[in-house]
Amino acid sequence: MLDFEHPLDDLRARIDALERDAEADPNSDITRELAILQLELEARTADLFANLTPWQRVQLARHPQRPHTLDFIERLCSEFIELHGDRRYGDDPAITAGLASVGGRSVVVAGHQKGRTTADNVKRNFGMAHPEGLRKALRLFDMAERFGLPVLTFLDTPGASPTLQDEERGQSWAIAENMARLARLRTPVIVIVIGEGGSGGALALGVGDRVLMLEHAVYSVASPEAAAAIIWRDSKHAPDAAAALRLTAPDLLRAGLIDRVVPEPDGGAHRDYDTAAANLANELTPLLDDLCAHDPDDLVHARYQKFRAMGEFTQAPAATS
Amino acid sequence: MLDFEHPLDDLRARIDALERDAEADPNSDITRELAILQLELEARTADLFANLTPWQRVQLARHPQRPHTLDFIERLCSEFIELHGDRRYGDDPAITAGLASVGGRSVVVAGHQKGRTTADNVKRNFGMAHPEGLRKALRLFDMAERFGLPVLTFLDTPGASPTLQDEERGQSWAIAENMARLARLRTPVIVIVIGEGGSGGALALGVGDRVLMLEHAVYSVASPEAAAAIIWRDSKHAPDAAAALRLTAPDLLRAGLIDRVVPEPDGGAHRDYDTAAANLANELTPLLDDLCAHDPDDLVHARYQKFRAMGEFTQAPAATS
Amino acid sequence: MHYRPEFEASLRVCPACNYHDRMTAAERIALLLDDPPSFRELDAEVTAADPLEFQRPSGSYPDRVAKARALTTRNEAVVCGAGSLGGRTVALGVMEFGFIAGSMGGATGEKITRLFEYALRRRLPVVTVTASGGARQDEGLFALMQMARTTAAAARLGEAGLPYVCVMADPTLAGVTASFAAVADVIIGEPGATIRFAGSRVVQGTLRRRAPVEDHTAEWVQQQGMIDLVVARRELRRTVARVIAALAPHPAPAHAPSPPPRPAASPAARV
Amino acid sequence: MHYRPEFEASLRVCPACNYHDRMTAAERIALLLDDPPSFRELDAEVTAADPLEFQRPSGSYPDRVAKARALTTRNEAVVCGAGSLGGRTVALGVMEFGFIAGSMGGATGEKITRLFEYALRRRLPVVTVTASGGARQDEGLFALMQMARTTAAAARLGEAGLPYVCVMADPTLAGVTASFAAVADVIIGEPGATIRFAGSRVVQGTLRRRAPVEDHTAEWVQQQGMIDLVVARRELRRTVARVIAALAPHPAPAHAPSPPPRPAASPAARV
Ligand SMILES: [Zn+2]
Ligand SMILES: [Zn+2]
C-alpha cells in the first residue's frame, strides 16, 4: 500500500468488514450499505487518481504489486515460448524474451523483467539489464526480421545495470547497438512502457513505430532521485525532480514523445491485472493489423522520421556564432 | 634447427668457417672452394626438401622461426592498421586483424597470431583463438562487406582454445558463426594457410573463394598427436598419423581441398621471410584483381558450390538400407 | 518404427532420476513425428567413400564402415527425410550415434547438405537432432570441410526465411557442435546431454562462476547463454512444433507436398 | 584556430607524463583538419530551446544556456561542419565540453543528426570527437531521445557504405558513449580519457581480471574489446586519415565538393 493510497484504506476496510459480516450471517441485508460504500470508494479513488502528482505516479510505476512483463505476456499472448541466451556470454534473467502469439499473430516479445520477491529481484537484478540481456533481445530482433514477425517490447526498468562488470562487457555498446538495430529493423516494432522507463536501459528496447504508455507509467532521462542529486544536490528533492522532468504519460503525450496513453483500471494496474492487459490488448490489436500491412521500407523510413523529429531547438541570433 | 636439418649443419658450418677465414686474411682466395660448397648445400637442401616426410613438414610448419601472420602482413602490405576488440567481451591477441593495403588495394586482414618468445606465446595463447578473437574477426568481416573490401585470412593455429572458459563463452558458436558469415560474405575472401591449419579453429577463418597454402604448411582435421592418441592410443605414433591424414599441401591440392601451393624459398620459409612473402604476393595480386571483378552474387554462389563439392561419398547397394 | 510400443511407455527416460538414455535414429524419428508415422527417407543409399585409404591398426576404414552398417542397418551416421510434425511437413535429419559414434564424414555431410537444399527447394522448416563425437578422423581434411559445407547450407535456409531448429542430444561434440548445430535459429538441449567443443582433451578449468549444474551439460550450456531451452523428451515434439509454428506462421499449405519420391541415384556422387 | 601556434608546440599534452589535457572544439578542429584551415561550419545558429521550462535552484535552463554561449562563443555543445582531412573532404562533429559539460540536448542532437544526413547526401565520411557528460537533464525525455535519433542517423551512414570514425576524448560518458559514439566503424580513444557508461553512480567492483591499467580509461576500455585503438594526439590526424582511406578507397573526387554554403534558417526548426 502506497502512502497516498491510505485515505482509501479506511473505506476498503469497512467494505471488507461488511462482506465478512454478511458471510457470517447470510440473512443480514447489506446490499444498500455496501452499494453506498462502494460508490464512495469509486468516487474517492477516481478523485485521488485524477489528481496524482508526478511523484505519486513514480511510486505507482514502481509499485511492488504492479504487473510486470511476464504478467502482461501471460494475459496478452495465447502462446509463449521463452528463449534464452545471447549465444556469446550468458543468459540474463533481467530480460524476458521469446516467441508469442497475439490475436492469432506470431510476434517476438522482449521486455525488462522485475521480480516480486526479494530472491527473484536479486536474480533479475531488479530489472536492470546486463549487456548479455540486451544482446539476447538483439538476437531476437534479428530473428523477428528474418521471419517477418512484428516485435513487441515492454519497458520496465530503473536503468541498465551500471557495475564495473557491466562496463567490462560493454554496456554502452550493447545499448547503442540495440537502438541502431531497432531503428533499422524491417518489421513492425511496438514499444509499451508498462512501469518504469528508466534512461538508456529502457531506450535500448524503446525505438519503435509506436510507443504506448500505461496511464501511470513513467519514462525519464534519469530517475527522480538521481536528477535531484544532480540538480538539488539532495535526493530528497526527488518529488520536485519528478515534477520538473515531465515524466508522466499525459505530459509525454503532450510533448509528442509517445503516441498513446493506455488507461489503467481504477486504482492502478496493480489492482486488476486482467483489465490492465485487456485495455492494452484493445490498443494493440488494431495497431498490429495496421503496421503489418505496411511495406518494410516505409516502416523504416517512418520510424526514422518519427525519432528524427524528437528534440526541440531554436535559432540563436547570427551574431553569437 | 630441426632434427632432419642436421645433415646440412656440417656443410653450413664449413661455409661459415671459410668465410670467417677469408675475412681474417683478405688475400686468401676461397672463391672456388666456397662455390663448390655452396653448390653442394643447394643440392643437398633441394634433395632433402624434395623428399620431406609429412611429419617433417609438420615440424617445418611449426618451426619456431617460421614467419607468422604479422611477418607476412608487414611484407605484403604497404599500410596496416591493426584494429582491436569484439565490442562485446575482450580483445584477443591470438588473432591479429585490421585494415591494410595490398598492391594499392584496400583489404581487411585477419589471421591467427603465434608468438616467438615464450612470453609472447603466453600472451597470444600459442595462436589458439578465444571466442572473442574469432568475434573480432567476424566484426571485421562485416566491415569488409559494408565497405566492399576483399578479405585475406592467414591460418596458423594448433586449433581453437579448448578450456572451460572458452566453452563458457561459446567457442563452438563462435566457430560456426564465422564459417556461416564467411560462406555468405558478399565480397572476395582469400584464405592462406601459412603454417599450421589446425581443425575448427583454423576453419573459422578458412571459408573463402580461394584457399592457398604454403609449400610446407599443413592443414588437418586434428593434430597428428591427437589423431595418434585416438587411432593408435599412443601419441608417439604422430609421424604415422601425419602420413595417414594426408595433411601436406601437395596432398591437399591433389584432393581438391585447396586451390594452390605457394612455393617456399630453399630450406623453408623460415630461412627467408622476404622470398616467402614475395612468392605469396605473386599469387595474391592477380587473384585479387580477378576476384574483385566478380559480382557479389556470383562470388557467394561459387563459394557455396566450391565447399559444396568437398566430401567424397558413394552409393551403398539398395538392399542395405 | 518397430521400437514404438516400448519407448512410448518409457521414451528411454528413467522415471526415477530423469536420466535420458541415448536413442536410435528410428526412435528419435518416431518420437518427433506425428502419428501415424509419416517419415519418407531421403538419400538412404549414400555411404562413406575412403578418400584417404585410411588404415587403423584395428583395420581399414571401409571395414569400420561395413561393421557400422551391419550394426545399425544404416548406411551413414545421419538419417534424413521428410515427415509431418505438428501437422506440418518438415525436413528432418537425425544423427545415428551407433554409426561410428555419429561422426561426420563426407557422406554424412553430403546428406545433411542435401537435406538443407531439399528444404530450401520445397520451402520447408528443418529440424536436426545431433548426437556425434565430431568430425570423422578417417577422412582427414575432407571430414573437417563438412563443418563448412553443412554450415553454409544452413545459412542459406535462414536467408530464405525458413526456420531451423536443432535438438542437441547426448553427446553433441566438437565438429558438429561447432557447425550446423550451433547456427540453428532455436536450439533445444536434452536434459543432461553433454554439449561441448573440446572432445577428450584435458581441460584445466578452475573458475566456476555461475554454475550450480555440472559443466558441459545442456543445463550448464543454457546458463552460459548458448542454447534456448532444455526440454524433456516427453515435451519435445510439442515444443518443436510450437517453435516452428511461431517462426513460420504462414507455411506452404500443410500436408500438400506429398512425401517426396526417393531421388534417382544422384549424379552428384563423385565416387 | 587562433590557438594554433601554442598547441602546435604542445597539443596540450604534457611532455613529461603524456597527460592529454582537454581541448576546445576549435583546437580539436585545427588538430584534425589539414593545413591551411578548411573548416566550414554548419548549423552554427542552432541552439537549445526549453521544452520543459526547466528551473534549477541556481536559475533557469535558458540562463544556463546563455552563460554557456557567453563562455564558449558557441551556441551548442557540438560544433559541426566540413573540411579537408588527409586531402579528402569529411563531415566533422566535435563536442565542446565547456558548453554545459558537453551534454546532449535537442539542439545538440539536431546538429549531430544533420551532420550525418549531410554526409549521407554528399557521400562523405564522418568523424566525430566526443567529450560529454551525457544527456542534458534539463530537457528530460527529449534529451534521452537524442540517443535514439543520433544513433539512427549514424546507422544509415553504415548502410550506405560510408565510413564513420569516432574519437572518444576525455570524458565520454553515459548517453553519448551509449549512442552515436559506440556505433562508429572504428573507435579511437585518447590516452587516459575516461570512457564509461555509468556516470557518477557508485559502482561496487571487486573483480579485476585483466586490468593492469586504471578502470574506465581508454586503455582499459580497449583491453575490454570496446575500442579499436588508443592514439596519441600527435598521431591522431594521420591515423584518422589512414582509417578513412582504408575504408573508402574510392572517395567522391577529393576537394571537388566546394565548402558547403551555410544553409538558410532551417524549416525543420520547431520552436
Ligand atoms: Zn534413474
Ligand atoms: Zn605531466
Side-chain angles (χ1 to χ4, degrees), chain A residues 217-233:
Chain A
V218 296
Y219 195 0
S220 177
V221 66
S223 72
E225 290 84 348
I230 294 169
I231 296 165
W232 281 267
R233 315 254 166 222

PDB file of all heavy atoms in Angstrom, chain A residues 217-233:
ATOM      1  N   ALA A 217       2.435   4.786 -15.852  1.00  0.00           N
ATOM      2  CA  ALA A 217       3.868   4.528 -16.072  1.00  0.00           C
ATOM      3  C   ALA A 217       4.611   5.851 -16.167  1.00  0.00           C
ATOM      4  O   ALA A 217       3.998   6.908 -16.375  1.00  0.00           O
ATOM      5  CB  ALA A 217       4.055   3.712 -17.346  1.00  0.00           C
ATOM      6  N   VAL A 218       5.915   5.796 -15.978  1.00  0.00           N
ATOM      7  CA  VAL A 218       6.742   6.998 -16.136  1.00  0.00           C
ATOM      8  C   VAL A 218       7.895   6.669 -17.070  1.00  0.00           C
ATOM      9  O   VAL A 218       8.247   5.495 -17.263  1.00  0.00           O
ATOM     10  CB  VAL A 218       7.291   7.502 -14.776  1.00  0.00           C
ATOM     11  CG1 VAL A 218       6.151   7.943 -13.865  1.00  0.00           C
ATOM     12  CG2 VAL A 218       8.165   6.446 -14.109  1.00  0.00           C
ATOM     13  N   TYR A 219       8.489   7.697 -17.669  1.00  0.00           N
ATOM     14  CA  TYR A 219       9.559   7.473 -18.649  1.00  0.00           C
ATOM     15  C   TYR A 219      10.457   8.697 -18.541  1.00  0.00           C
ATOM     16  O   TYR A 219       9.989   9.820 -18.701  1.00  0.00           O
ATOM     17  CB  TYR A 219       8.937   7.352 -20.042  1.00  0.00           C
ATOM     18  CG  TYR A 219       9.808   6.773 -21.144  1.00  0.00           C
ATOM     19  CD1 TYR A 219      11.127   6.359 -20.913  1.00  0.00           C
ATOM     20  CD2 TYR A 219       9.295   6.620 -22.431  1.00  0.00           C
ATOM     21  CE1 TYR A 219      11.885   5.822 -21.941  1.00  0.00           C
ATOM     22  CE2 TYR A 219      10.056   6.081 -23.461  1.00  0.00           C
ATOM     23  CZ  TYR A 219      11.352   5.687 -23.212  1.00  0.00           C
ATOM     24  OH  TYR A 219      12.104   5.161 -24.233  1.00  0.00           O
ATOM     25  N   SER A 220      11.721   8.442 -18.276  1.00  0.00           N
ATOM     26  CA  SER A 220      12.536   9.579 -17.857  1.00  0.00           C
ATOM     27  C   SER A 220      13.995   9.423 -18.253  1.00  0.00           C
ATOM     28  O   SER A 220      14.514   8.316 -18.392  1.00  0.00           O
ATOM     29  CB  SER A 220      12.427   9.692 -16.335  1.00  0.00           C
ATOM     30  OG  SER A 220      13.244  10.720 -15.868  1.00  0.00           O
ATOM     31  N   VAL A 221      14.652  10.561 -18.428  1.00  0.00           N
ATOM     32  CA  VAL A 221      16.071  10.565 -18.786  1.00  0.00           C
ATOM     33  C   VAL A 221      16.935  10.074 -17.628  1.00  0.00           C
ATOM     34  O   VAL A 221      18.025   9.564 -17.833  1.00  0.00           O
ATOM     35  CB  VAL A 221      16.506  11.982 -19.245  1.00  0.00           C
ATOM     36  CG1 VAL A 221      16.429  12.965 -18.078  1.00  0.00           C
ATOM     37  CG2 VAL A 221      17.903  11.988 -19.847  1.00  0.00           C
ATOM     38  N   ALA A 222      16.436  10.251 -16.409  1.00  0.00           N
ATOM     39  CA  ALA A 222      17.139   9.769 -15.217  1.00  0.00           C
ATOM     40  C   ALA A 222      16.103   9.572 -14.139  1.00  0.00           C
ATOM     41  O   ALA A 222      15.008  10.122 -14.222  1.00  0.00           O
ATOM     42  CB  ALA A 222      18.184  10.785 -14.767  1.00  0.00           C
ATOM     43  N   SER A 223      16.411   8.782 -13.134  1.00  0.00           N
ATOM     44  CA  SER A 223      15.462   8.601 -12.042  1.00  0.00           C
ATOM     45  C   SER A 223      15.329   9.935 -11.313  1.00  0.00           C
ATOM     46  O   SER A 223      16.276  10.727 -11.280  1.00  0.00           O
ATOM     47  CB  SER A 223      15.940   7.520 -11.081  1.00  0.00           C
ATOM     48  OG  SER A 223      17.033   7.998 -10.333  1.00  0.00           O
ATOM     49  N   PRO A 224      14.150  10.202 -10.747  1.00  0.00           N
ATOM     50  CA  PRO A 224      13.983  11.458  -9.996  1.00  0.00           C
ATOM     51  C   PRO A 224      15.031  11.604  -8.892  1.00  0.00           C
ATOM     52  O   PRO A 224      15.519  12.704  -8.649  1.00  0.00           O
ATOM     53  CB  PRO A 224      12.577  11.324  -9.404  1.00  0.00           C
ATOM     54  CG  PRO A 224      11.865  10.379 -10.313  1.00  0.00           C
ATOM     55  CD  PRO A 224      12.909   9.419 -10.810  1.00  0.00           C
ATOM     56  N   GLU A 225      15.398  10.508  -8.254  1.00  0.00           N
ATOM     57  CA  GLU A 225      16.405  10.575  -7.199  1.00  0.00           C
ATOM     58  C   GLU A 225      17.743  11.041  -7.764  1.00  0.00           C
ATOM     59  O   GLU A 225      18.423  11.882  -7.191  1.00  0.00           O
ATOM     60  CB  GLU A 225      16.588   9.204  -6.527  1.00  0.00           C
ATOM     61  CG  GLU A 225      15.409   8.749  -5.666  1.00  0.00           C
ATOM     62  CD  GLU A 225      14.303   8.069  -6.466  1.00  0.00           C
ATOM     63  OE1 GLU A 225      14.334   8.141  -7.709  1.00  0.00           O
ATOM     64  OE2 GLU A 225      13.409   7.471  -5.848  1.00  0.00           O
ATOM     65  N   ALA A 226      18.143  10.446  -8.899  1.00  0.00           N
ATOM     66  CA  ALA A 226      19.423  10.818  -9.500  1.00  0.00           C
ATOM     67  C   ALA A 226      19.382  12.265  -9.970  1.00  0.00           C
ATOM     68  O   ALA A 226      20.324  13.036  -9.734  1.00  0.00           O
ATOM     69  CB  ALA A 226      19.743   9.887 -10.672  1.00  0.00           C
ATOM     70  N   ALA A 227      18.275  12.653 -10.599  1.00  0.00           N
ATOM     71  CA  ALA A 227      18.157  14.031 -11.072  1.00  0.00           C
ATOM     72  C   ALA A 227      18.205  15.004  -9.893  1.00  0.00           C
ATOM     73  O   ALA A 227      18.862  16.047  -9.961  1.00  0.00           O
ATOM     74  CB  ALA A 227      16.866  14.202 -11.871  1.00  0.00           C
ATOM     75  N   ALA A 228      17.524  14.655  -8.801  1.00  0.00           N
ATOM     76  CA  ALA A 228      17.527  15.529  -7.624  1.00  0.00           C
ATOM     77  C   ALA A 228      18.936  15.659  -7.056  1.00  0.00           C
ATOM     78  O   ALA A 228      19.358  16.735  -6.626  1.00  0.00           O
ATOM     79  CB  ALA A 228      16.570  14.981  -6.570  1.00  0.00           C
ATOM     80  N   ALA A 229      19.660  14.555  -7.056  1.00  0.00           N
ATOM     81  CA  ALA A 229      21.030  14.587  -6.534  1.00  0.00           C
ATOM     82  C   ALA A 229      21.894  15.510  -7.393  1.00  0.00           C
ATOM     83  O   ALA A 229      22.767  16.225  -6.878  1.00  0.00           O
ATOM     84  CB  ALA A 229      21.622  13.178  -6.505  1.00  0.00           C
ATOM     85  N   ILE A 230      21.665  15.498  -8.698  1.00  0.00           N
ATOM     86  CA  ILE A 230      22.458  16.348  -9.580  1.00  0.00           C
ATOM     87  C   ILE A 230      22.015  17.813  -9.451  1.00  0.00           C
ATOM     88  O   ILE A 230      22.837  18.712  -9.309  1.00  0.00           O
ATOM     89  CB  ILE A 230      22.287  15.889 -11.056  1.00  0.00           C
ATOM     90  CG1 ILE A 230      22.882  14.488 -11.241  1.00  0.00           C
ATOM     91  CG2 ILE A 230      22.941  16.884 -12.015  1.00  0.00           C
ATOM     92  CD1 ILE A 230      22.543  13.845 -12.581  1.00  0.00           C
ATOM     93  N   ILE A 231      20.703  18.027  -9.454  1.00  0.00           N
ATOM     94  CA  ILE A 231      20.190  19.394  -9.591  1.00  0.00           C
ATOM     95  C   ILE A 231      20.072  20.098  -8.245  1.00  0.00           C
ATOM     96  O   ILE A 231      20.437  21.254  -8.100  1.00  0.00           O
ATOM     97  CB  ILE A 231      18.832  19.362 -10.324  1.00  0.00           C
ATOM     98  CG1 ILE A 231      19.051  18.841 -11.748  1.00  0.00           C
ATOM     99  CG2 ILE A 231      18.185  20.738 -10.361  1.00  0.00           C
ATOM    100  CD1 ILE A 231      17.793  18.431 -12.466  1.00  0.00           C
ATOM    101  N   TRP A 232      19.551  19.375  -7.238  1.00  0.00           N
ATOM    102  CA  TRP A 232      19.401  19.989  -5.919  1.00  0.00           C
ATOM    103  C   TRP A 232      20.513  19.557  -4.961  1.00  0.00           C
ATOM    104  O   TRP A 232      20.517  19.953  -3.811  1.00  0.00           O
ATOM    105  CB  TRP A 232      18.051  19.631  -5.307  1.00  0.00           C
ATOM    106  CG  TRP A 232      16.898  20.434  -5.845  1.00  0.00           C
ATOM    107  CD1 TRP A 232      16.396  21.596  -5.322  1.00  0.00           C
ATOM    108  CD2 TRP A 232      16.092  20.132  -6.984  1.00  0.00           C
ATOM    109  NE1 TRP A 232      15.343  22.036  -6.079  1.00  0.00           N
ATOM    110  CE2 TRP A 232      15.116  21.172  -7.105  1.00  0.00           C
ATOM    111  CE3 TRP A 232      16.075  19.121  -7.930  1.00  0.00           C
ATOM    112  CZ2 TRP A 232      14.161  21.191  -8.134  1.00  0.00           C
ATOM    113  CZ3 TRP A 232      15.132  19.149  -8.936  1.00  0.00           C
ATOM    114  CH2 TRP A 232      14.199  20.157  -9.045  1.00  0.00           C
ATOM    115  N   ARG A 233      21.397  18.723  -5.431  1.00  0.00           N
ATOM    116  CA  ARG A 233      22.453  18.131  -4.590  1.00  0.00           C
ATOM    117  C   ARG A 233      21.842  17.424  -3.379  1.00  0.00           C
ATOM    118  O   ARG A 233      22.407  17.440  -2.294  1.00  0.00           O
ATOM    119  CB  ARG A 233      23.449  19.205  -4.096  1.00  0.00           C
ATOM    120  CG  ARG A 233      23.885  20.183  -5.161  1.00  0.00           C
ATOM    121  CD  ARG A 233      25.289  19.945  -5.651  1.00  0.00           C
ATOM    122  NE  ARG A 233      25.511  20.690  -6.892  1.00  0.00           N
ATOM    123  CZ  ARG A 233      26.159  20.207  -7.947  1.00  0.00           C
ATOM    124  NH1 ARG A 233      26.673  18.981  -7.919  1.00  0.00           N
ATOM    125  NH2 ARG A 233      26.336  20.916  -9.026  1.00  0.00           N
TER     126      ARG A 233
END
